[in-house]
Amino acid sequence: IVLYCVIDFNSLIHWSKLLTMDHQMHTGQDHQPQHTMVHHMSMDMVFTYGYETTLLFESWKTTTYMEYLFSILFVFCLGVFREKVKNNYASTLGSFVEAANKATNVNSATTNSNNSEGKMILSISYGLMYMYDFILMLIGMSMNAGIFLSLCTGVTFGHYKYIRAHSMTDSLSLQASGCHS
């Protein structure tokens, strides 16, 4: 137990020295060369308003107003496309549930195999949609106000354009039929 406490105390001293050296490097009190592997990365935590920004990859940088404008339009289209895909997925899911309910009444072996293929396709589609949503989230996290507003506006416009008048009643009836069938 004593040996463990000595080792633990030594590691505590080591870490405190690293933290002290790191602090000294920032305050200019560095009197001796430091050979630590401390790397500092910074990420904007507030919105920026300039036209120079990086989106997703180092290769997608905007350095001119024209590149920035094209990026804003492209991000807007990505938001609209997200809502179209989401709406198509919802209608496909509704068709799949209806087919599954009919197949339950028929109880044939071929319908059950089609059912598992449909589940696989829907599951893969769902995973791809989720991945796409994460990519859009990372674009929004560029913390550029123009890009962020463009993405939010694109999603809003896409929702307005692709929402079906009966989509809310469809989703409610799908939930009800799943619970009470």
Side-chain angles (χ1 to χ4, degrees):
I1 294 173
V2 173
L3 182 60
Y4 176 75
C5 290
V6 170
I7 291 171
D8 192 46
F9 183 71
N10 285 335
S11 64
L12 180 64
I13 291 172
H14 174 71
W15 283 107
S16 68
K17 283 182 181 179
L18 283 178
L19 292 174
T20 305
M21 285 187 272
D22 185 39
H23 176 69
Q24 288 173 350
M25 284 189 261
H26 290 294
T27 59
Q29 300 173 357
D30 194 11
H31 300 291
Q32 55 187 346
Q34 305 295 330
H35 299 289
T36 61
M37 295 296 290
V38 179
H39 298 283
H40 299 282
M41 297 180 69
S42 71
M43 181 177 156
D44 293 327
M45 298 306 280
V46 295
F47 280 111
T48 59
Y49 299 95
Y51 65 89
E52 293 182 1
T53 190
T54 303
L55 300 169
L56 291 181
F57 307 104
E58 286 292 322
S59 59
W60 188 1
K61 282 187 178 184
T62 59
T63 55
T64 66
Y65 284 113
M66 193 58 76
E67 289 174 344
Y68 185 63
L69 178 65
F70 283 132
S71 291
I72 283 178
L73 291 173
F74 184 68
V75 168
F76 177 84
C77 291
L78 289 175
V80 172
F81 181 71
R82 183 236 184 246
E83 289 300 309
K84 178 163 180 49
V85 168
K86 183 179 122 183
N87 188 32
N88 287 347
Y89 178 81
S91 68
T92 303
L93 182 62
S95 301
F96 178 74
V97 169
E98 285 179 23
N101 286 338
K102 289 178 185 175
T104 304
N105 294 336
V106 174
N107 274 338
S108 69
T110 57
T111 321
N112 288 336
S113 68
N114 290 342
N115 190 6
S116 76
E117 289 172 10
K119 281 179 165 178
M120 180 61 74
I121 291 170
L122 284 173
S123 296
I124 290 171
S125 300
Y126 183 78
L128 291 173
M129 280 183 4
Y130 216 76
M131 184 175 63
Y132 187 72
D133 284 344
F134 276 128
I135 290 171
L136 292 181
M137 179 194 66
L138 290 173
I139 289 172
M141 288 176 58
S142 70
M143 298 307 288
N144 182 282
I147 296 294
F148 183 79
L149 288 174
S150 173
L151 179 60
C152 291
T153 306
V155 170
T156 303
F157 178 76
H159 185 75
Y160 173 77
K161 181 175 178 168
Y162 295 111
I163 192 169
R164 296 174 295 153
H166 53 78
S167 65
M168 291 183 70
T169 57
D170 281 352
S171 66
L172 291 175
S173 67
L174 288 176
Q175 291 173 354
S177 69
C179 293
H180 302 288
S181 56

PDB file of all heavy atoms in Angstrom, residues 56 74-75 77-83 129-142 148 151 155:
ATOM      1  N   LEU A  56     -16.007  21.165 -42.896  1.00  0.00           N
ATOM      2  CA  LEU A  56     -15.774  19.719 -42.913  1.00  0.00           C
ATOM      3  C   LEU A  56     -14.324  19.316 -43.190  1.00  0.00           C
ATOM      4  O   LEU A  56     -13.759  18.532 -42.465  1.00  0.00           O
ATOM      5  CB  LEU A  56     -16.688  19.017 -43.917  1.00  0.00           C
ATOM      6  CG  LEU A  56     -18.160  18.972 -43.592  1.00  0.00           C
ATOM      7  CD1 LEU A  56     -18.914  18.222 -44.682  1.00  0.00           C
ATOM      8  CD2 LEU A  56     -18.419  18.329 -42.252  1.00  0.00           C
ATOM      9  N   PHE A  74     -24.904  26.052 -51.395  1.00  0.00           N
ATOM     10  CA  PHE A  74     -24.775  24.602 -51.351  1.00  0.00           C
ATOM     11  C   PHE A  74     -25.285  24.047 -50.018  1.00  0.00           C
ATOM     12  O   PHE A  74     -26.005  23.045 -49.985  1.00  0.00           O
ATOM     13  CB  PHE A  74     -23.316  24.197 -51.580  1.00  0.00           C
ATOM     14  CG  PHE A  74     -23.110  22.715 -51.644  1.00  0.00           C
ATOM     15  CD1 PHE A  74     -23.617  21.967 -52.695  1.00  0.00           C
ATOM     16  CD2 PHE A  74     -22.407  22.055 -50.645  1.00  0.00           C
ATOM     17  CE1 PHE A  74     -23.433  20.595 -52.760  1.00  0.00           C
ATOM     18  CE2 PHE A  74     -22.215  20.688 -50.697  1.00  0.00           C
ATOM     19  CZ  PHE A  74     -22.729  19.961 -51.753  1.00  0.00           C
ATOM     20  N   VAL A  75     -24.948  24.700 -48.916  1.00  0.00           N
ATOM     21  CA  VAL A  75     -25.409  24.261 -47.598  1.00  0.00           C
ATOM     22  C   VAL A  75     -26.924  24.396 -47.500  1.00  0.00           C
ATOM     23  O   VAL A  75     -27.601  23.530 -46.925  1.00  0.00           O
ATOM     24  CB  VAL A  75     -24.678  25.041 -46.485  1.00  0.00           C
ATOM     25  CG1 VAL A  75     -25.322  24.833 -45.140  1.00  0.00           C
ATOM     26  CG2 VAL A  75     -23.214  24.627 -46.438  1.00  0.00           C
ATOM     27  N   CYS A  77     -28.998  24.050 -49.994  1.00  0.00           N
ATOM     28  CA  CYS A  77     -29.519  22.904 -50.758  1.00  0.00           C
ATOM     29  C   CYS A  77     -29.371  21.601 -49.976  1.00  0.00           C
ATOM     30  O   CYS A  77     -30.249  20.727 -50.048  1.00  0.00           O
ATOM     31  CB  CYS A  77     -28.806  22.800 -52.099  1.00  0.00           C
ATOM     32  SG  CYS A  77     -29.216  24.145 -53.226  1.00  0.00           S
ATOM     33  N   LEU A  78     -28.276  21.447 -49.220  1.00  0.00           N
ATOM     34  CA  LEU A  78     -28.117  20.251 -48.384  1.00  0.00           C
ATOM     35  C   LEU A  78     -29.231  20.159 -47.337  1.00  0.00           C
ATOM     36  O   LEU A  78     -29.732  19.076 -47.057  1.00  0.00           O
ATOM     37  CB  LEU A  78     -26.753  20.259 -47.691  1.00  0.00           C
ATOM     38  CG  LEU A  78     -25.527  20.024 -48.560  1.00  0.00           C
ATOM     39  CD1 LEU A  78     -24.252  20.191 -47.732  1.00  0.00           C
ATOM     40  CD2 LEU A  78     -25.560  18.663 -49.214  1.00  0.00           C
ATOM     41  N   GLY A  79     -29.613  21.300 -46.764  1.00  0.00           N
ATOM     42  CA  GLY A  79     -30.702  21.318 -45.794  1.00  0.00           C
ATOM     43  C   GLY A  79     -32.036  20.951 -46.422  1.00  0.00           C
ATOM     44  O   GLY A  79     -32.819  20.194 -45.858  1.00  0.00           O
ATOM     45  N   VAL A  80     -32.303  21.491 -47.621  1.00  0.00           N
ATOM     46  CA  VAL A  80     -33.551  21.167 -48.328  1.00  0.00           C
ATOM     47  C   VAL A  80     -33.573  19.679 -48.669  1.00  0.00           C
ATOM     48  O   VAL A  80     -34.587  18.989 -48.479  1.00  0.00           O
ATOM     49  CB  VAL A  80     -33.699  22.031 -49.603  1.00  0.00           C
ATOM     50  CG1 VAL A  80     -34.880  21.572 -50.446  1.00  0.00           C
ATOM     51  CG2 VAL A  80     -33.848  23.506 -49.240  1.00  0.00           C
ATOM     52  N   PHE A  81     -32.443  19.163 -49.161  1.00  0.00           N
ATOM     53  CA  PHE A  81     -32.353  17.752 -49.539  1.00  0.00           C
ATOM     54  C   PHE A  81     -32.587  16.841 -48.334  1.00  0.00           C
ATOM     55  O   PHE A  81     -33.221  15.793 -48.450  1.00  0.00           O
ATOM     56  CB  PHE A  81     -30.990  17.468 -50.175  1.00  0.00           C
ATOM     57  CG  PHE A  81     -30.812  16.055 -50.618  1.00  0.00           C
ATOM     58  CD1 PHE A  81     -31.510  15.569 -51.715  1.00  0.00           C
ATOM     59  CD2 PHE A  81     -29.950  15.206 -49.936  1.00  0.00           C
ATOM     60  CE1 PHE A  81     -31.344  14.257 -52.133  1.00  0.00           C
ATOM     61  CE2 PHE A  81     -29.783  13.892 -50.347  1.00  0.00           C
ATOM     62  CZ  PHE A  81     -30.480  13.418 -51.445  1.00  0.00           C
ATOM     63  N   ARG A  82     -32.127  17.256 -47.171  1.00  0.00           N
ATOM     64  CA  ARG A  82     -32.328  16.464 -45.957  1.00  0.00           C
ATOM     65  C   ARG A  82     -33.809  16.269 -45.678  1.00  0.00           C
ATOM     66  O   ARG A  82     -34.255  15.187 -45.335  1.00  0.00           O
ATOM     67  CB  ARG A  82     -31.663  17.160 -44.772  1.00  0.00           C
ATOM     68  CG  ARG A  82     -31.756  16.374 -43.486  1.00  0.00           C
ATOM     69  CD  ARG A  82     -32.410  17.206 -42.411  1.00  0.00           C
ATOM     70  NE  ARG A  82     -32.395  16.458 -41.158  1.00  0.00           N
ATOM     71  CZ  ARG A  82     -33.497  16.033 -40.573  1.00  0.00           C
ATOM     72  NH1 ARG A  82     -34.667  16.272 -41.083  1.00  0.00           N
ATOM     73  NH2 ARG A  82     -33.440  15.368 -39.444  1.00  0.00           N
ATOM     74  N   GLU A  83     -34.578  17.318 -45.852  1.00  0.00           N
ATOM     75  CA  GLU A  83     -36.014  17.212 -45.595  1.00  0.00           C
ATOM     76  C   GLU A  83     -36.712  16.365 -46.653  1.00  0.00           C
ATOM     77  O   GLU A  83     -37.655  15.642 -46.345  1.00  0.00           O
ATOM     78  CB  GLU A  83     -36.641  18.592 -45.499  1.00  0.00           C
ATOM     79  CG  GLU A  83     -36.254  19.324 -44.232  1.00  0.00           C
ATOM     80  CD  GLU A  83     -36.679  18.577 -42.972  1.00  0.00           C
ATOM     81  OE1 GLU A  83     -37.862  18.194 -42.877  1.00  0.00           O
ATOM     82  OE2 GLU A  83     -35.827  18.388 -42.095  1.00  0.00           O
ATOM     83  N   MET A 129     -29.275   8.121 -43.373  1.00  0.00           N
ATOM     84  CA  MET A 129     -29.883   9.402 -43.005  1.00  0.00           C
ATOM     85  C   MET A 129     -29.249   9.956 -41.737  1.00  0.00           C
ATOM     86  O   MET A 129     -28.990  11.156 -41.623  1.00  0.00           O
ATOM     87  CB  MET A 129     -31.393   9.254 -42.785  1.00  0.00           C
ATOM     88  CG  MET A 129     -32.196   9.224 -44.043  1.00  0.00           C
ATOM     89  SD  MET A 129     -33.991   9.140 -43.811  1.00  0.00           S
ATOM     90  CE  MET A 129     -34.282   9.249 -42.089  1.00  0.00           C
ATOM     91  N   TYR A 130     -28.979   9.093 -40.791  1.00  0.00           N
ATOM     92  CA  TYR A 130     -28.361   9.512 -39.544  1.00  0.00           C
ATOM     93  C   TYR A 130     -26.960  10.061 -39.799  1.00  0.00           C
ATOM     94  O   TYR A 130     -26.569  11.086 -39.231  1.00  0.00           O
ATOM     95  CB  TYR A 130     -28.313   8.321 -38.584  1.00  0.00           C
ATOM     96  CG  TYR A 130     -28.529   8.677 -37.148  1.00  0.00           C
ATOM     97  CD1 TYR A 130     -29.793   8.976 -36.673  1.00  0.00           C
ATOM     98  CD2 TYR A 130     -27.468   8.714 -36.263  1.00  0.00           C
ATOM     99  CE1 TYR A 130     -30.003   9.307 -35.355  1.00  0.00           C
ATOM    100  CE2 TYR A 130     -27.666   9.040 -34.937  1.00  0.00           C
ATOM    101  CZ  TYR A 130     -28.931   9.330 -34.489  1.00  0.00           C
ATOM    102  OH  TYR A 130     -29.123   9.657 -33.178  1.00  0.00           O
ATOM    103  N   MET A 131     -26.211   9.383 -40.661  1.00  0.00           N
ATOM    104  CA  MET A 131     -24.872   9.847 -41.012  1.00  0.00           C
ATOM    105  C   MET A 131     -24.953  11.219 -41.687  1.00  0.00           C
ATOM    106  O   MET A 131     -24.166  12.123 -41.382  1.00  0.00           O
ATOM    107  CB  MET A 131     -24.188   8.838 -41.939  1.00  0.00           C
ATOM    108  CG  MET A 131     -22.765   9.200 -42.276  1.00  0.00           C
ATOM    109  SD  MET A 131     -21.908   7.941 -43.247  1.00  0.00           S
ATOM    110  CE  MET A 131     -22.864   7.920 -44.736  1.00  0.00           C
ATOM    111  N   TYR A 132     -25.903  11.387 -42.563  1.00  0.00           N
ATOM    112  CA  TYR A 132     -26.110  12.667 -43.246  1.00  0.00           C
ATOM    113  C   TYR A 132     -26.444  13.765 -42.237  1.00  0.00           C
ATOM    114  O   TYR A 132     -25.934  14.888 -42.332  1.00  0.00           O
ATOM    115  CB  TYR A 132     -27.224  12.505 -44.285  1.00  0.00           C
ATOM    116  CG  TYR A 132     -27.431  13.695 -45.175  1.00  0.00           C
ATOM    117  CD1 TYR A 132     -26.510  14.008 -46.168  1.00  0.00           C
ATOM    118  CD2 TYR A 132     -28.547  14.508 -45.032  1.00  0.00           C
ATOM    119  CE1 TYR A 132     -26.704  15.104 -46.999  1.00  0.00           C
ATOM    120  CE2 TYR A 132     -28.749  15.599 -45.852  1.00  0.00           C
ATOM    121  CZ  TYR A 132     -27.818  15.891 -46.834  1.00  0.00           C
ATOM    122  OH  TYR A 132     -28.002  16.975 -47.640  1.00  0.00           O
ATOM    123  N   ASP A 133     -27.271  13.432 -41.251  1.00  0.00           N
ATOM    124  CA  ASP A 133     -27.605  14.405 -40.206  1.00  0.00           C
ATOM    125  C   ASP A 133     -26.360  14.816 -39.413  1.00  0.00           C
ATOM    126  O   ASP A 133     -26.199  15.987 -39.068  1.00  0.00           O
ATOM    127  CB  ASP A 133     -28.666  13.852 -39.258  1.00  0.00           C
ATOM    128  CG  ASP A 133     -30.061  13.867 -39.854  1.00  0.00           C
ATOM    129  OD1 ASP A 133     -30.277  14.571 -40.862  1.00  0.00           O
ATOM    130  OD2 ASP A 133     -30.932  13.171 -39.309  1.00  0.00           O
ATOM    131  N   PHE A 134     -25.481  13.861 -39.130  1.00  0.00           N
ATOM    132  CA  PHE A 134     -24.252  14.196 -38.411  1.00  0.00           C
ATOM    133  C   PHE A 134     -23.348  15.095 -39.253  1.00  0.00           C
ATOM    134  O   PHE A 134     -22.707  16.000 -38.724  1.00  0.00           O
ATOM    135  CB  PHE A 134     -23.489  12.941 -37.993  1.00  0.00           C
ATOM    136  CG  PHE A 134     -23.989  12.347 -36.706  1.00  0.00           C
ATOM    137  CD1 PHE A 134     -24.323  11.008 -36.653  1.00  0.00           C
ATOM    138  CD2 PHE A 134     -24.118  13.116 -35.570  1.00  0.00           C
ATOM    139  CE1 PHE A 134     -24.772  10.458 -35.468  1.00  0.00           C
ATOM    140  CE2 PHE A 134     -24.572  12.564 -34.375  1.00  0.00           C
ATOM    141  CZ  PHE A 134     -24.895  11.235 -34.325  1.00  0.00           C
ATOM    142  N   ILE A 135     -23.300  14.854 -40.542  1.00  0.00           N
ATOM    143  CA  ILE A 135     -22.508  15.718 -41.421  1.00  0.00           C
ATOM    144  C   ILE A 135     -23.067  17.134 -41.409  1.00  0.00           C
ATOM    145  O   ILE A 135     -22.315  18.116 -41.318  1.00  0.00           O
ATOM    146  CB  ILE A 135     -22.452  15.134 -42.857  1.00  0.00           C
ATOM    147  CG1 ILE A 135     -21.591  13.876 -42.865  1.00  0.00           C
ATOM    148  CG2 ILE A 135     -21.927  16.166 -43.850  1.00  0.00           C
ATOM    149  CD1 ILE A 135     -21.646  13.100 -44.160  1.00  0.00           C
ATOM    150  N   LEU A 136     -24.385  17.260 -41.468  1.00  0.00           N
ATOM    151  CA  LEU A 136     -24.996  18.591 -41.391  1.00  0.00           C
ATOM    152  C   LEU A 136     -24.721  19.246 -40.040  1.00  0.00           C
ATOM    153  O   LEU A 136     -24.495  20.459 -39.962  1.00  0.00           O
ATOM    154  CB  LEU A 136     -26.503  18.507 -41.639  1.00  0.00           C
ATOM    155  CG  LEU A 136     -26.929  18.131 -43.058  1.00  0.00           C
ATOM    156  CD1 LEU A 136     -28.444  18.118 -43.166  1.00  0.00           C
ATOM    157  CD2 LEU A 136     -26.322  19.061 -44.086  1.00  0.00           C
ATOM    158  N   MET A 137     -24.710  18.455 -38.985  1.00  0.00           N
ATOM    159  CA  MET A 137     -24.397  19.003 -37.674  1.00  0.00           C
ATOM    160  C   MET A 137     -22.972  19.552 -37.651  1.00  0.00           C
ATOM    161  O   MET A 137     -22.725  20.643 -37.135  1.00  0.00           O
ATOM    162  CB  MET A 137     -24.547  17.927 -36.597  1.00  0.00           C
ATOM    163  CG  MET A 137     -24.203  18.420 -35.205  1.00  0.00           C
ATOM    164  SD  MET A 137     -23.979  17.097 -34.013  1.00  0.00           S
ATOM    165  CE  MET A 137     -22.511  16.299 -34.632  1.00  0.00           C
ATOM    166  N   LEU A 138     -22.038  18.826 -38.242  1.00  0.00           N
ATOM    167  CA  LEU A 138     -20.656  19.301 -38.285  1.00  0.00           C
ATOM    168  C   LEU A 138     -20.527  20.568 -39.120  1.00  0.00           C
ATOM    169  O   LEU A 138     -19.734  21.455 -38.799  1.00  0.00           O
ATOM    170  CB  LEU A 138     -19.742  18.200 -38.828  1.00  0.00           C
ATOM    171  CG  LEU A 138     -19.542  17.013 -37.897  1.00  0.00           C
ATOM    172  CD1 LEU A 138     -18.763  15.915 -38.612  1.00  0.00           C
ATOM    173  CD2 LEU A 138     -18.844  17.435 -36.616  1.00  0.00           C
ATOM    174  N   ILE A 139     -21.302  20.669 -40.182  1.00  0.00           N
ATOM    175  CA  ILE A 139     -21.301  21.902 -40.978  1.00  0.00           C
ATOM    176  C   ILE A 139     -21.812  23.058 -40.130  1.00  0.00           C
ATOM    177  O   ILE A 139     -21.234  24.148 -40.129  1.00  0.00           O
ATOM    178  CB  ILE A 139     -22.135  21.728 -42.260  1.00  0.00           C
ATOM    179  CG1 ILE A 139     -21.417  20.800 -43.232  1.00  0.00           C
ATOM    180  CG2 ILE A 139     -22.414  23.073 -42.916  1.00  0.00           C
ATOM    181  CD1 ILE A 139     -22.230  20.415 -44.451  1.00  0.00           C
ATOM    182  N   GLY A 140     -22.875  22.832 -39.382  1.00  0.00           N
ATOM    183  CA  GLY A 140     -23.402  23.870 -38.507  1.00  0.00           C
ATOM    184  C   GLY A 140     -22.418  24.249 -37.415  1.00  0.00           C
ATOM    185  O   GLY A 140     -22.365  25.397 -36.975  1.00  0.00           O
ATOM    186  N   MET A 141     -21.591  23.299 -36.994  1.00  0.00           N
ATOM    187  CA  MET A 141     -20.614  23.568 -35.953  1.00  0.00           C
ATOM    188  C   MET A 141     -19.369  24.285 -36.475  1.00  0.00           C
ATOM    189  O   MET A 141     -18.421  24.485 -35.714  1.00  0.00           O
ATOM    190  CB  MET A 141     -20.222  22.259 -35.257  1.00  0.00           C
ATOM    191  CG  MET A 141     -21.319  21.722 -34.376  1.00  0.00           C
ATOM    192  SD  MET A 141     -20.916  20.133 -33.628  1.00  0.00           S
ATOM    193  CE  MET A 141     -19.425  20.533 -32.729  1.00  0.00           C
ATOM    194  N   SER A 142     -19.386  24.681 -37.736  1.00  0.00           N
ATOM    195  CA  SER A 142     -18.288  25.511 -38.230  1.00  0.00           C
ATOM    196  C   SER A 142     -18.297  26.851 -37.513  1.00  0.00           C
ATOM    197  O   SER A 142     -17.325  27.583 -37.535  1.00  0.00           O
ATOM    198  CB  SER A 142     -18.411  25.723 -39.743  1.00  0.00           C
ATOM    199  OG  SER A 142     -19.524  26.561 -40.020  1.00  0.00           O
ATOM    200  N   PHE A 148     -24.406  28.714 -40.750  1.00  0.00           N
ATOM    201  CA  PHE A 148     -25.398  28.185 -39.807  1.00  0.00           C
ATOM    202  C   PHE A 148     -26.807  28.622 -40.185  1.00  0.00           C
ATOM    203  O   PHE A 148     -27.731  27.799 -40.238  1.00  0.00           O
ATOM    204  CB  PHE A 148     -25.049  28.647 -38.388  1.00  0.00           C
ATOM    205  CG  PHE A 148     -25.958  28.105 -37.336  1.00  0.00           C
ATOM    206  CD1 PHE A 148     -25.796  26.813 -36.870  1.00  0.00           C
ATOM    207  CD2 PHE A 148     -26.980  28.878 -36.812  1.00  0.00           C
ATOM    208  CE1 PHE A 148     -26.638  26.297 -35.893  1.00  0.00           C
ATOM    209  CE2 PHE A 148     -27.823  28.377 -35.845  1.00  0.00           C
ATOM    210  CZ  PHE A 148     -27.655  27.088 -35.380  1.00  0.00           C
ATOM    211  N   LEU A 151     -27.993  26.809 -43.331  1.00  0.00           N
ATOM    212  CA  LEU A 151     -28.410  25.435 -43.051  1.00  0.00           C
ATOM    213  C   LEU A 151     -29.788  25.411 -42.401  1.00  0.00           C
ATOM    214  O   LEU A 151     -30.663  24.643 -42.819  1.00  0.00           O
ATOM    215  CB  LEU A 151     -27.379  24.752 -42.156  1.00  0.00           C
ATOM    216  CG  LEU A 151     -27.669  23.318 -41.753  1.00  0.00           C
ATOM    217  CD1 LEU A 151     -27.782  22.422 -42.979  1.00  0.00           C
ATOM    218  CD2 LEU A 151     -26.597  22.811 -40.814  1.00  0.00           C
ATOM    219  N   VAL A 155     -33.202  23.767 -44.096  1.00  0.00           N
ATOM    220  CA  VAL A 155     -34.015  22.722 -43.449  1.00  0.00           C
ATOM    221  C   VAL A 155     -35.453  23.209 -43.283  1.00  0.00           C
ATOM    222  O   VAL A 155     -36.408  22.466 -43.535  1.00  0.00           O
ATOM    223  CB  VAL A 155     -33.388  22.307 -42.099  1.00  0.00           C
ATOM    224  CG1 VAL A 155     -34.326  21.433 -41.302  1.00  0.00           C
ATOM    225  CG2 VAL A 155     -32.072  21.587 -42.330  1.00  0.00           C
TER     226      VAL A 155
END
